Amino acid sequence: MMEIDENDLKKGPWTPEEDQKLIDYIQKHGHGSWRALPKLAGLNRCGKSCRLRWTNYLRPDIKRGKFSEEEEHIIINLHAVLGNKWSAIASHLPGRTDNEIKNFWNTHLKKKLLQMGIDPVTHRPRTDLDLLSNLPQLLAAANLANPWVDNVLRLQSDATQLAKIQVLNNIIQVLSSAPAPNMEAINHFRSSSILPDQHQLYEYLQMNSKLEGLLVNGSIGFPSTHDQMQSKLSNYEANFQLPQLSGDHQPAQNIINGLKNYTSSNSDCVDQVANSSYSIPPSNVLPNLVSASPDQCSSIVSQIENQINSNDIISNDPSSISTTFEPLGDIMENEASDSYWKDFIEQASSQSWPMS
DNA sequence: AATGCCGCCAACCGCGAAGCT
DNA sequence: GAGCTTCGCGGTTGGCGGCAT
């Protein structure tokens, strides 16, 4: 425990006597040179150890005890902007030291954010999926010819519908992660006249995690039946109470309505595929598929793939969302019976998203 | 009661920046 | 400008206490 280093300087925990010596000396003389201080104060410690003891523990203006909820919010929000700049964060919290904040972050806040589904490093919703980068595989999945399924041809068209739903599922994930607070967004708020308070920003972070949780918490990240899909959407709708940061939530509502309508009108398809021996793999582990589809299905899929490749829409950059929807809209236009699909894509792409 | 595990947090360590000669 | 010293920061360590077995 207690240790003496090679220069006979004491290390380890400070005794009350040592604390008192340090306090007395600094109150009388100020700390001056930390290197010279221990000798002058009669302490058998190195200057660095004295400085740390003073700045992290003995300073009279130190606030001890539990962090308040407001302090928590401030730390989280500042961390989103500043990263691990503990001293910079501490400067916004009178009475708190960088060491204390760092410890609090590592032992409490980090876990809390993870539990909320927020990546404590990026402050964006955690996602194990590579979102739109799965799109080509996903769409290829519509071109099904699963050797384990007897009624391959019927399932092929069903799977096409299902793939679309999963595309929408991914779109929601992209949208829900798009407005995650980042440097730019927070700076925007700072300079704007609609500066939100810390609580609003915090609620906003929580909202992101709710969205993500609803979408990815399922065992395979996708509702397996029509009923589950509808139930998920209802939950999503019920939870969709974004803080009023910068306007309406119409895009999100459109998406929810769109998915509800779409899954309603295709409930047979969703249930059939889900209940068949064809199982929907996790969206990030799509199977290798053999092309053997009816003309219509095959043609749609290849068009989608071509469009995706030619428009280079695979991106994790949230700012690319609006352009992402444009080629999809064009593609869907070719399927006359799915005019709603196109409307939905257009609606989603034409509306701006809060904070984006 | 003894033991092991785990979370918390004070303290240490290493490194880079700033200041001084 | 180079070399040395001092300071401050962020990452890591290790002791302590609480809890489970």
Side-chain angles (χ1 to χ4, degrees):
Chain A
M1 175 169 145
M2 190 181 75
E3 216 179 313
I4 306 288
D5 75 4
E6 55 192 16
N7 300 319
D8 292 338
L9 293 176
K10 192 180 164 193
K11 286 162 74 172
W14 281 63
T15 64
E17 292 73 30
E18 287 177 310
D19 282 347
Q20 200 52 54
K21 278 184 183 174
L22 185 58
I23 291 167
D24 289 346
Y25 181 85
I26 290 176
Q27 279 177 351
K28 279 183 196 161
H29 308 97
H31 62 72
S33 162
W34 285 111
R35 192 180 174 83
L37 183 144
K39 213 172 181 181
L40 296 169
L43 287 161
N44 191 28
R45 296 267 184 179
C46 69
K48 198 171 180 177
S49 178
C50 294
R51 180 173 57 80
L52 252 86
R53 185 63 181 169
W54 177 257
T55 54
N56 288 337
Y57 202 81
L58 298 174
R59 240 171 48 198
D61 57 333
I62 281 185
K63 188 205 267 181
R64 307 208 70 82
K66 277 190 73 176
F67 281 80
S68 69
E69 240 179 75
E70 193 188 351
E71 285 176 314
E72 265 186 40
H73 299 163
I74 292 170
I75 294 168
I76 291 169
N77 293 329
L78 286 173
H79 188 272
V81 180
L82 301 168
N84 292 2
K85 304 284 179 202
W86 304 117
S87 60
I89 294 171
S91 69
H92 290 82
L93 291 163
R96 299 294 187 183
T97 69
D98 53 353
N99 203 38
E100 198 179 6
I101 292 168
K102 180 176 57 183
N103 284 332
F104 185 60
W105 175 267
N106 287 326
T107 56
H108 292 98
L109 295 182
K110 222 157 124 180
K111 288 175 199 164
K112 198 168 179 175
L113 289 182
L114 284 169
Q115 280 168 3
M116 285 163 55
I118 296 171
D119 183 334
V121 178
T122 63
H123 289 258
R124 291 171 182 274
R126 290 170 72 191
T127 170
D128 299 330
L129 305 173
D130 197 11
L131 302 177
L132 286 176
S133 61
N134 288 325
L135 220 44
Q137 281 181 291
L138 182 62
L139 291 162
N143 191 10
L144 272 180
N146 192 315
W148 302 292
V149 179
D150 294 336
N151 50 354
V152 169
L153 291 180
R154 179 173 57 78
L155 282 179
Q156 281 171 344
S157 61
D158 289 348
T160 304
Q161 305 301 318
L162 193 59
K164 283 181 185 175
I165 294 170
Q166 188 153 356
V167 169
L168 288 170
N169 197 43
N170 273 5
I171 288 167
I172 290 186
Q173 289 184 41
V174 172
L175 287 175
S176 67
S177 65
N182 54 26
M183 191 71 151
E184 233 182 274
I186 291 174
N187 284 341
H188 167 72
F189 280 123
R190 283 181 152 178
S191 62
S192 78
S193 57
I194 52 161
L195 182 77
D197 63 25
Q198 306 287 0
H199 292 278
Q200 280 180 306
L201 278 172
Y202 187 65
E203 281 167 23
Y204 186 69
L205 283 168
Q206 287 182 312
M207 186 59 225
N208 275 329
S209 84
K210 279 184 192 169
L211 292 171
E212 192 68 10
L214 280 164
L215 291 162
V216 301
N217 280 349
S219 59
I220 58 169
F222 185 72
S224 56
T225 68
H226 161 253
D227 285 342
Q228 282 173 22
M229 182 71 169
Q230 289 290 326
S231 148
K232 230 181 178 184
L233 289 167
S234 296
N235 285 338
Y236 177 87
E237 193 172 34
N239 281 281
F240 202 86
Q241 297 295 324
L242 266 178
Q244 299 295 311
L245 292 176
S246 62
D248 63 43
H249 308 132
Q250 200 57 38
Q253 192 59 53
N254 287 341
I255 290 170
I256 295 167
N257 292 339
L259 278 169
K260 279 188 154 182
N261 291 341
Y262 193 79
T263 54
S264 262
S265 60
N266 293 279
S267 61
D268 287 350
C269 153
V270 175
D271 288 341
Q272 273 174 22
V273 176
N275 294 330
S276 76
S277 56
Y278 166 75
S279 61
I280 308 298
S283 54
N284 54 344
V285 193
L286 285 162
N288 293 325
L289 297 157
V290 179
S291 176
S293 65
D295 290 342
Q296 187 190 24
C297 208
S298 169
S299 145
I300 291 166
V301 169
S302 59
Q303 281 179 58
I304 289 172
E305 285 174 337
N306 290 339
Q307 283 278 3
I308 288 166
N309 292 335
S310 67
N311 286 282
D312 193 24
I313 66 166
I314 300 161
S315 167
N316 289 327
D317 178 4
S319 66
S320 68
I321 285 170
S322 62
T323 55
T324 296
F325 290 121
E326 286 157 14
L328 282 175
D330 292 343
I331 293 156
M332 301 310 168
E333 193 170 21
N334 294 338
E335 197 172 14
S337 62
D338 258 350
S339 63
Y340 177 78
W341 178 271
K342 177 173 176 281
D343 290 346
F344 166 61
I345 297 282
E346 281 176 352
Q347 268 190 325
S349 64
S350 67
Q351 308 232 19
S352 64
W353 194 253
M355 287 184 77
S356 59

